[in-house]
Amino acid sequence: MNDFFVSLISNSSVATIITMTILLINFFLAVGMIFWERKSAQSVWAWLLILFFIPIVGFILYLFLGRTIYNHKIFEIPEEDQIGLEYLVQEQLDEIRKNNFELDSDVATKHTKLIHMLLYNNQSFVTSNNHIDTFYRTPDLFKQMLEDIKNAKDHIHFQYYIFRLDNLGKEIYNALLEKQREGVSVRILYDDMGSRTLRLRNFKEIRSLGGHVEAFFPSFLSVINPRINNRNHRKIVVIDGKIGYTGGSNVGDEYVGNSKKFGYWRDTHLRIKGNAVKSLQLRFMLDWNSQRSRNKMVHETRYFPEIENVGTTTMQIATSGPDEKWQQIKFGYLKMINSAKKDIYIQSPYFIPDQSIMEALKIAILSGVNVNIMIPSFPDHPFVYWGTYHNVGELSKMGAKIFIYQKGFLHQKTMMIDNEVVSIGSTNMDNRSFALNFEVNAFIFDRKEAVKQREAFEKDAINSKLLTPEIYAERSAWIKLKEGIANLISPIL
């Protein structure tokens, strides 16, 4: 009997020691990793909350969801492009600083501070010879894209966060396959988590014909992905170096309204002809080369052909990602908000900005700027939605006009100020897009394009309900609880 109790006490002591050791390792490693990496104070506190309340499990979650890749050298610009880009960017910066920067657009001249910031932080060179077609209905977008694919002569570079091989996806894939058969060079880059049902074997036929397909940050053993939190959310298509596409829509049946869950799908996407396509081409090359140890893309004249005069729209293609020091696209949003004198129009499926964006919007409201924000009427991610609802409710009480879109699912990521500057791209108004994902946005300095965006907002407003402070105050205790939880963990959503 004595031996039994001695054994029991001994085993209990061993279990206690093992448990304490694990907890201590969890504590020191977690705290060390959090404070060694670049994070906001909000994010640090949110992760500490998770790590302390669910130790060990929280630490494992942090390894997969919380780690940053800042200062990791992922993207390397080919030497020839690097030399030319650095020269062009420096030349444009010098001209702005000397007040010698000549632009065809008076709007661009008025907003040279925003242009300067994107140049300095992001090497987003300015182009004026551009023509833009804006698509507000995704069926029209993909109809035009398929037409452009069929007319391709030299190369097609196709990059998406989500690429589903459903009805729409197969139609596009078959069009790409046919062009590869004709001798057109096809490259497809998809995000491994966004397109989680895809495998390289799904592209066996196009690869056998000489086409190239890669997954961004691929998983190990099909299920383990150490970069689950850093995804390539960009949507870029470049055809013959002359036509480019970018915006909010992915490739899948739900994006053309063929989903029982989401119904009508409202998105905004751009078709660009002109010199800005060179920026999209360079971005694709960087993303492609980051995922390949062989068959890397190198500078070739056919990728950057001379562009004829196609238009007068001035724009910059800005990108951002967790590998960079500055959150460039967020800075672009902030600069637009702070520059607004009359109106701000924002449409985003997720509205969980950090404190800097929220305070900038509050300052704008208190300064008499007309702030208009539109969000969906139902979630595709519940916690994200209730965090969104909390934030727009707070701004509504201060005087912002909040529109809840009713016709279907609102997915576009757009901002417009003063009928002058527009930003359209892949970047949601949340920390995930600002700090964790790789994103791309077009910043457009053109009154005609800005007015088109405002008119699109007003058309969407007809199919929306206004969230007044009175309506927001009547929400149930259950909604308030969900908002509270979502707000608490919003820095890591």
Side-chain angles (χ1 to χ4, degrees), residues 94-113:
D94 290 342
E95 288 179 352
I96 289 177
R97 290 164 181 165
K98 295 176 183 177
N99 294 319
N100 294 329
F101 196 47
E102 295 183 5
L103 291 165
D104 297 334
S105 165
D106 62 321
V107 171
T109 301
K110 180 178 178 181
H111 292 277
T112 52
K113 295 299 183 184

Side-chain angles (χ1 to χ4, degrees), residues 37 46 66 69 124 166 184 203 214 225 239 244 258 303 373 391 463:
E37 296 184 0
I69 55 176
S124 301
D166 49 20
V184 173
F203 301 94
E214 286 296 326
N225 198 310
I239 300 171
N258 296 331
Y303 295 146
I373 301 171
N391 288 324
N463 296 304

Side-chain angles (χ1 to χ4, degrees), residues 127-398:
T127 61
S128 294
N129 175 30
N130 299 292
H131 172 79
I132 295 175
D133 293 308
T134 306
F135 291 90
Y136 305 104
R137 294 186 67 255
T138 43
D140 296 336
L141 161 70
F142 288 112
K143 180 180 178 180
Q144 180 63 61
M145 187 182 293
L146 281 164
E147 185 68 24
D148 288 334
I149 288 172
K150 291 174 183 177
N151 292 329
K153 305 299 182 186
D154 184 78
H155 64 270
I156 301 170
H157 296 155
F158 193 88
Q159 174 180 347
Y160 271 93
Y161 172 64
I162 295 176
F163 185 17
R164 304 193 200 284
L165 289 179
D166 49 20
N167 294 323
L168 174 64
K170 286 179 180 177
E171 186 177 8
I172 290 176
Y173 175 71
N174 288 335
L176 294 171
L177 179 62
E178 183 60 31
K179 296 310 294 187
Q180 186 64 49
R181 286 197 183 104
E182 295 175 9
V184 173
S185 174
V186 175
R187 281 184 168 86
I188 300 172
L189 179 63
Y190 65 90
D191 184 83
D192 191 68
M193 293 302 299
S195 307
R196 61 179 60 88
T197 60
L198 283 186
R199 299 292 181 268
L200 290 179
R201 62 176 177 268
N202 296 127
F203 301 94
K204 182 179 179 180
E205 192 171 3
I206 198 170
R207 295 172 75 198
S208 69
L209 294 170
H212 301 284
V213 183
E214 286 296 326
F216 189 90
F217 280 173
S219 302
F220 298 106
L221 304 175
S222 300
V223 293
I224 302 173
N225 198 310
R227 290 300 175 197
I228 192 173
N229 221 28
N230 301 128
R231 307 317 310 175
N232 197 317
H233 196 239
R234 296 168 182 146
K235 306 96 168 69
I236 296 173
V237 177
V238 178
I239 300 171
D240 293 341
K242 297 179 179 180
I243 298 174
Y245 286 86
T246 194
S249 184
N250 291 294
V251 177
D253 285 349
E254 69 267 38
Y255 295 94
V256 290
N258 296 331
S259 167
K260 292 182 179 179
K261 177 181 178 181
F262 295 107
Y264 179 79
W265 192 275
R266 175 68 178 88
D267 224 321
T268 301
H269 216 88
L270 301 176
R271 178 181 185 263
I272 303 168
K273 295 181 69 177
N275 288 331
V277 178
K278 298 179 188 295
S279 292
L280 292 175
Q281 184 80 286
L282 181 58
R283 183 69 261 170
F284 178 87
M285 289 179 67
L286 291 172
D287 288 3
W288 178 267
N289 288 345
S290 73
Q291 301 305 301
R292 291 192 63 85
S293 59
R294 61 190 186 282
N295 296 326
K296 287 185 179 291
M297 293 181 67
V298 296
H299 181 97
E300 295 184 40
T301 303
R302 66 192 181 108
Y303 295 146
F304 300 94
E306 290 297 322
I307 304 293
E308 61 184 12
N309 292 327
V310 295
T312 59
T313 298
T314 301
M315 61 191 301
Q316 291 173 281
I317 302 296
T319 61
S320 64
D323 61 309
E324 299 174 349
K325 184 177 181 180
W326 309 108
Q327 296 176 11
Q328 289 94 332
I329 295 177
K330 186 189 85 170
F331 282 12
Y333 284 164
L334 271 171
K335 187 62 178 174
M336 286 179 66
I337 294 169
N338 291 331
S339 299
K341 300 294 188 293
K342 298 177 181 178
D343 304 291
I344 299 172
Y345 290 84
I346 297 172
Q347 290 176 295
S348 179
Y350 321 121
F351 190 81
I352 313 181
D354 62 11
Q355 187 176 358
S356 63
I357 295 282
M358 285 294 287
E359 289 184 349
L361 287 169
K362 290 176 181 179
I363 291 171
I365 294 168
L366 295 174
S367 301
V369 176
N370 176 32
V371 174
N372 305 269
I373 301 171
M374 188 177 294
I375 63 170
S377 60
F378 59 91
D380 61 341
H381 301 292
F383 277 117
V384 175
Y385 185 79
W386 293 115
T388 292
Y389 200 71
H390 170 83
N391 288 324
V392 296
E394 184 177 345
L395 293 176
S396 173
K397 290 187 289 186
M398 294 192 65

